[in-house]
PDB file of all heavy atoms in Angstrom:
ATOM      1  N   TRP M 127      -6.097 -57.989   2.216  1.00  0.00           N
ATOM      2  CA  TRP M 127      -5.954 -58.721   3.637  1.00  0.00           C
ATOM      3  C   TRP M 127      -5.929 -60.247   3.275  1.00  0.00           C
ATOM      4  O   TRP M 127      -5.032 -60.963   3.693  1.00  0.00           O
ATOM      5  CB  TRP M 127      -7.137 -58.295   4.427  1.00  0.00           C
ATOM      6  CG  TRP M 127      -7.038 -59.138   5.752  1.00  0.00           C
ATOM      7  CD1 TRP M 127      -7.721 -60.267   5.972  1.00  0.00           C
ATOM      8  CD2 TRP M 127      -6.290 -58.843   6.932  1.00  0.00           C
ATOM      9  NE1 TRP M 127      -7.386 -60.819   7.288  1.00  0.00           N
ATOM     10  CE2 TRP M 127      -6.501 -59.849   7.868  1.00  0.00           C
ATOM     11  CE3 TRP M 127      -5.507 -57.770   7.382  1.00  0.00           C
ATOM     12  CZ2 TRP M 127      -6.026 -59.907   9.166  1.00  0.00           C
ATOM     13  CZ3 TRP M 127      -4.939 -57.791   8.662  1.00  0.00           C
ATOM     14  CH2 TRP M 127      -5.203 -58.808   9.451  1.00  0.00           C
ATOM     15  N   ASN M 128      -6.965 -60.583   2.567  1.00  0.00           N
ATOM     16  CA  ASN M 128      -7.134 -62.038   2.242  1.00  0.00           C
ATOM     17  C   ASN M 128      -6.005 -62.650   1.413  1.00  0.00           C
ATOM     18  O   ASN M 128      -5.606 -63.746   1.609  1.00  0.00           O
ATOM     19  CB  ASN M 128      -8.495 -62.302   1.636  1.00  0.00           C
ATOM     20  CG  ASN M 128      -9.618 -62.049   2.580  1.00  0.00           C
ATOM     21  OD1 ASN M 128      -9.494 -62.406   3.725  1.00  0.00           O
ATOM     22  ND2 ASN M 128     -10.717 -61.636   2.015  1.00  0.00           N
ATOM     23  N   THR M 129      -5.345 -61.842   0.550  1.00  0.00           N
ATOM     24  CA  THR M 129      -4.396 -62.359  -0.251  1.00  0.00           C
ATOM     25  C   THR M 129      -2.952 -62.094   0.126  1.00  0.00           C
ATOM     26  O   THR M 129      -2.181 -62.968  -0.046  1.00  0.00           O
ATOM     27  CB  THR M 129      -4.554 -61.815  -1.697  1.00  0.00           C
ATOM     28  OG1 THR M 129      -4.483 -60.414  -1.613  1.00  0.00           O
ATOM     29  CG2 THR M 129      -5.905 -62.270  -2.457  1.00  0.00           C
ATOM     30  N   HIS M 130      -2.689 -61.039   0.836  1.00  0.00           N
ATOM     31  CA  HIS M 130      -1.342 -60.691   1.314  1.00  0.00           C
ATOM     32  C   HIS M 130      -1.185 -60.789   2.781  1.00  0.00           C
ATOM     33  O   HIS M 130      -0.182 -61.550   3.179  1.00  0.00           O
ATOM     34  CB  HIS M 130      -0.921 -59.403   0.705  1.00  0.00           C
ATOM     35  CG  HIS M 130      -0.714 -59.205  -0.755  1.00  0.00           C
ATOM     36  ND1 HIS M 130      -1.875 -58.860  -1.589  1.00  0.00           N
ATOM     37  CD2 HIS M 130       0.221 -59.504  -1.644  1.00  0.00           C
ATOM     38  CE1 HIS M 130      -1.582 -58.980  -2.883  1.00  0.00           C
ATOM     39  NE2 HIS M 130      -0.228 -59.240  -2.931  1.00  0.00           N
ATOM     40  N   ILE M 131      -1.939 -60.023   3.407  1.00  0.00           N
ATOM     41  CA  ILE M 131      -1.479 -59.812   4.808  1.00  0.00           C
ATOM     42  C   ILE M 131      -1.717 -60.998   5.670  1.00  0.00           C
ATOM     43  O   ILE M 131      -1.052 -61.344   6.572  1.00  0.00           O
ATOM     44  CB  ILE M 131      -2.355 -58.552   5.365  1.00  0.00           C
ATOM     45  CG1 ILE M 131      -1.921 -57.301   4.487  1.00  0.00           C
ATOM     46  CG2 ILE M 131      -2.042 -58.334   6.805  1.00  0.00           C
ATOM     47  CD1 ILE M 131      -2.663 -56.083   5.058  1.00  0.00           C
ATOM     48  N   ARG M 132      -2.867 -61.777   5.350  1.00  0.00           N
ATOM     49  CA  ARG M 132      -3.091 -62.976   6.079  1.00  0.00           C
ATOM     50  C   ARG M 132      -1.813 -63.893   6.024  1.00  0.00           C
ATOM     51  O   ARG M 132      -1.331 -64.407   6.987  1.00  0.00           O
ATOM     52  CB  ARG M 132      -4.317 -63.737   5.520  1.00  0.00           C
ATOM     53  CG  ARG M 132      -5.542 -63.263   5.951  1.00  0.00           C
ATOM     54  CD  ARG M 132      -6.738 -64.067   5.259  1.00  0.00           C
ATOM     55  NE  ARG M 132      -6.736 -65.462   5.398  1.00  0.00           N
ATOM     56  CZ  ARG M 132      -7.311 -66.122   6.437  1.00  0.00           C
ATOM     57  NH1 ARG M 132      -8.070 -65.450   7.183  1.00  0.00           N
ATOM     58  NH2 ARG M 132      -7.147 -67.374   6.427  1.00  0.00           N
ATOM     59  N   ARG M 133      -1.363 -63.980   4.754  1.00  0.00           N
ATOM     60  CA  ARG M 133      -0.220 -64.868   4.671  1.00  0.00           C
ATOM     61  C   ARG M 133       1.091 -64.300   5.386  1.00  0.00           C
ATOM     62  O   ARG M 133       1.905 -65.064   5.936  1.00  0.00           O
ATOM     63  CB  ARG M 133       0.050 -64.998   3.105  1.00  0.00           C
ATOM     64  CG  ARG M 133       0.663 -66.320   2.731  1.00  0.00           C
ATOM     65  CD  ARG M 133       0.753 -66.513   1.359  1.00  0.00           C
ATOM     66  NE  ARG M 133      -0.540 -66.189   0.686  1.00  0.00           N
ATOM     67  CZ  ARG M 133      -0.773 -65.704  -0.540  1.00  0.00           C
ATOM     68  NH1 ARG M 133       0.325 -65.351  -1.271  1.00  0.00           N
ATOM     69  NH2 ARG M 133      -1.961 -65.548  -1.050  1.00  0.00           N
ATOM     70  N   LYS M 134       1.188 -62.980   5.221  1.00  0.00           N
ATOM     71  CA  LYS M 134       2.314 -62.300   5.806  1.00  0.00           C
ATOM     72  C   LYS M 134       2.259 -62.660   7.315  1.00  0.00           C
ATOM     73  O   LYS M 134       3.306 -62.899   7.988  1.00  0.00           O
ATOM     74  CB  LYS M 134       2.138 -60.825   5.667  1.00  0.00           C
ATOM     75  CG  LYS M 134       3.325 -59.932   6.210  1.00  0.00           C
ATOM     76  CD  LYS M 134       3.075 -58.508   5.575  1.00  0.00           C
ATOM     77  CE  LYS M 134       4.078 -57.524   6.035  1.00  0.00           C
ATOM     78  NZ  LYS M 134       3.911 -56.193   5.522  1.00  0.00           N
ATOM     79  N   LEU M 135       1.115 -62.475   8.019  1.00  0.00           N
ATOM     80  CA  LEU M 135       0.905 -62.626   9.450  1.00  0.00           C
ATOM     81  C   LEU M 135       1.340 -64.105   9.741  1.00  0.00           C
ATOM     82  O   LEU M 135       1.934 -64.454  10.681  1.00  0.00           O
ATOM     83  CB  LEU M 135      -0.302 -62.239   9.948  1.00  0.00           C
ATOM     84  CG  LEU M 135      -0.649 -60.790   9.953  1.00  0.00           C
ATOM     85  CD1 LEU M 135      -2.132 -60.519  10.476  1.00  0.00           C
ATOM     86  CD2 LEU M 135       0.362 -60.090  10.806  1.00  0.00           C
ATOM     87  N   LEU M 136       0.760 -65.062   8.909  1.00  0.00           N
ATOM     88  CA  LEU M 136       1.055 -66.434   9.206  1.00  0.00           C
ATOM     89  C   LEU M 136       2.429 -66.776   9.141  1.00  0.00           C
ATOM     90  O   LEU M 136       2.945 -67.649   9.894  1.00  0.00           O
ATOM     91  CB  LEU M 136       0.243 -67.292   8.239  1.00  0.00           C
ATOM     92  CG  LEU M 136      -1.367 -67.391   8.385  1.00  0.00           C
ATOM     93  CD1 LEU M 136      -1.997 -68.024   7.241  1.00  0.00           C
ATOM     94  CD2 LEU M 136      -1.675 -68.134   9.657  1.00  0.00           C
ATOM     95  N   SER M 137       3.125 -66.164   8.135  1.00  0.00           N
ATOM     96  CA  SER M 137       4.530 -66.446   8.020  1.00  0.00           C
ATOM     97  C   SER M 137       5.307 -65.913   9.208  1.00  0.00           C
ATOM     98  O   SER M 137       6.404 -66.313   9.570  1.00  0.00           O
ATOM     99  CB  SER M 137       5.049 -65.776   6.777  1.00  0.00           C
ATOM    100  OG  SER M 137       5.217 -64.422   6.857  1.00  0.00           O
ATOM    101  N   ARG M 138       4.706 -64.877   9.884  1.00  0.00           N
ATOM    102  CA  ARG M 138       5.386 -64.363  11.089  1.00  0.00           C
ATOM    103  C   ARG M 138       4.911 -65.206  12.329  1.00  0.00           C
ATOM    104  O   ARG M 138       5.331 -64.822  13.522  1.00  0.00           O
ATOM    105  CB  ARG M 138       4.928 -62.953  11.384  1.00  0.00           C
ATOM    106  CG  ARG M 138       5.537 -61.864  10.416  1.00  0.00           C
ATOM    107  CD  ARG M 138       5.017 -60.475  10.818  1.00  0.00           C
ATOM    108  NE  ARG M 138       5.186 -59.429   9.980  1.00  0.00           N
ATOM    109  CZ  ARG M 138       4.619 -58.205   9.994  1.00  0.00           C
ATOM    110  NH1 ARG M 138       3.941 -57.911  11.004  1.00  0.00           N
ATOM    111  NH2 ARG M 138       4.974 -57.324   9.010  1.00  0.00           N
ATOM    112  N   GLY M 139       4.150 -66.145  12.146  1.00  0.00           N
ATOM    113  CA  GLY M 139       3.707 -66.986  13.213  1.00  0.00           C
ATOM    114  C   GLY M 139       2.535 -66.372  13.975  1.00  0.00           C
ATOM    115  O   GLY M 139       2.325 -66.629  15.213  1.00  0.00           O
ATOM    116  N   ILE M 140       1.751 -65.381  13.340  1.00  0.00           N
ATOM    117  CA  ILE M 140       0.699 -64.752  14.014  1.00  0.00           C
ATOM    118  C   ILE M 140      -0.502 -65.055  13.446  1.00  0.00           C
ATOM    119  O   ILE M 140      -0.702 -65.235  12.195  1.00  0.00           O
ATOM    120  CB  ILE M 140       0.931 -63.143  13.872  1.00  0.00           C
ATOM    121  CG1 ILE M 140       2.225 -62.739  14.606  1.00  0.00           C
ATOM    122  CG2 ILE M 140      -0.345 -62.520  14.259  1.00  0.00           C
ATOM    123  CD1 ILE M 140       2.684 -61.357  14.367  1.00  0.00           C
ATOM    124  N   ASP M 141      -1.533 -65.385  14.250  1.00  0.00           N
ATOM    125  CA  ASP M 141      -2.908 -65.735  13.847  1.00  0.00           C
ATOM    126  C   ASP M 141      -3.525 -64.525  13.263  1.00  0.00           C
ATOM    127  O   ASP M 141      -3.774 -63.548  14.138  1.00  0.00           O
ATOM    128  CB  ASP M 141      -3.673 -66.389  14.940  1.00  0.00           C
ATOM    129  CG  ASP M 141      -4.999 -66.857  14.538  1.00  0.00           C
ATOM    130  OD1 ASP M 141      -5.418 -66.578  13.300  1.00  0.00           O
ATOM    131  OD2 ASP M 141      -5.657 -67.665  15.384  1.00  0.00           O
ATOM    132  N   PRO M 142      -3.823 -64.462  11.995  1.00  0.00           N
ATOM    133  CA  PRO M 142      -4.419 -63.158  11.481  1.00  0.00           C
ATOM    134  C   PRO M 142      -5.865 -62.955  12.042  1.00  0.00           C
ATOM    135  O   PRO M 142      -6.299 -61.802  12.048  1.00  0.00           O
ATOM    136  CB  PRO M 142      -4.558 -63.525   9.984  1.00  0.00           C
ATOM    137  CG  PRO M 142      -4.448 -64.989   9.760  1.00  0.00           C
ATOM    138  CD  PRO M 142      -3.595 -65.505  10.996  1.00  0.00           C
ATOM    139  N   ALA M 143      -6.526 -63.882  12.577  1.00  0.00           N
ATOM    140  CA  ALA M 143      -7.890 -63.569  13.121  1.00  0.00           C
ATOM    141  C   ALA M 143      -7.766 -62.997  14.606  1.00  0.00           C
ATOM    142  O   ALA M 143      -8.487 -62.151  14.918  1.00  0.00           O
ATOM    143  CB  ALA M 143      -8.632 -64.947  13.301  1.00  0.00           C
ATOM    144  N   THR M 144      -6.848 -63.466  15.375  1.00  0.00           N
ATOM    145  CA  THR M 144      -6.664 -62.970  16.674  1.00  0.00           C
ATOM    146  C   THR M 144      -5.515 -62.086  16.949  1.00  0.00           C
ATOM    147  O   THR M 144      -5.395 -61.416  18.028  1.00  0.00           O
ATOM    148  CB  THR M 144      -6.481 -64.226  17.639  1.00  0.00           C
ATOM    149  OG1 THR M 144      -5.297 -64.859  17.417  1.00  0.00           O
ATOM    150  CG2 THR M 144      -7.627 -65.070  17.583  1.00  0.00           C
ATOM    151  N   HIS M 145      -4.573 -61.947  15.931  1.00  0.00           N
ATOM    152  CA  HIS M 145      -3.406 -61.248  16.186  1.00  0.00           C
ATOM    153  C   HIS M 145      -2.453 -61.662  17.323  1.00  0.00           C
ATOM    154  O   HIS M 145      -1.746 -60.885  17.933  1.00  0.00           O
ATOM    155  CB  HIS M 145      -3.615 -59.719  16.269  1.00  0.00           C
ATOM    156  CG  HIS M 145      -4.341 -59.169  15.037  1.00  0.00           C
ATOM    157  ND1 HIS M 145      -3.604 -58.488  13.979  1.00  0.00           N
ATOM    158  CD2 HIS M 145      -5.581 -59.255  14.618  1.00  0.00           C
ATOM    159  CE1 HIS M 145      -4.369 -58.253  12.961  1.00  0.00           C
ATOM    160  NE2 HIS M 145      -5.590 -58.604  13.391  1.00  0.00           N
ATOM    161  N   ARG M 146      -2.634 -62.969  17.565  1.00  0.00           N
ATOM    162  CA  ARG M 146      -1.868 -63.514  18.643  1.00  0.00           C
ATOM    163  C   ARG M 146      -0.853 -64.585  18.059  1.00  0.00           C
ATOM    164  O   ARG M 146      -1.152 -65.061  16.952  1.00  0.00           O
ATOM    165  CB  ARG M 146      -2.614 -64.232  19.745  1.00  0.00           C
ATOM    166  CG  ARG M 146      -3.343 -63.261  20.636  1.00  0.00           C
ATOM    167  CD  ARG M 146      -4.302 -63.940  21.577  1.00  0.00           C
ATOM    168  NE  ARG M 146      -4.767 -63.090  22.615  1.00  0.00           N
ATOM    169  CZ  ARG M 146      -4.173 -63.017  23.836  1.00  0.00           C
ATOM    170  NH1 ARG M 146      -3.059 -63.771  24.037  1.00  0.00           N
ATOM    171  NH2 ARG M 146      -4.567 -62.230  24.743  1.00  0.00           N
TER     172      ARG M 146
END
Side-chain angles (χ1 to χ4, degrees):
Chain M
W127 176 271
N128 288 329
T129 55
H130 292 89
I131 300 182
R132 275 173 63 90
R133 214 171 307 147
K134 185 173 175 177
L135 290 180
L136 286 170
S137 72
R138 290 183 191 173
I140 296 170
D141 183 347
T144 63
H145 295 267
R146 286 172 166 271

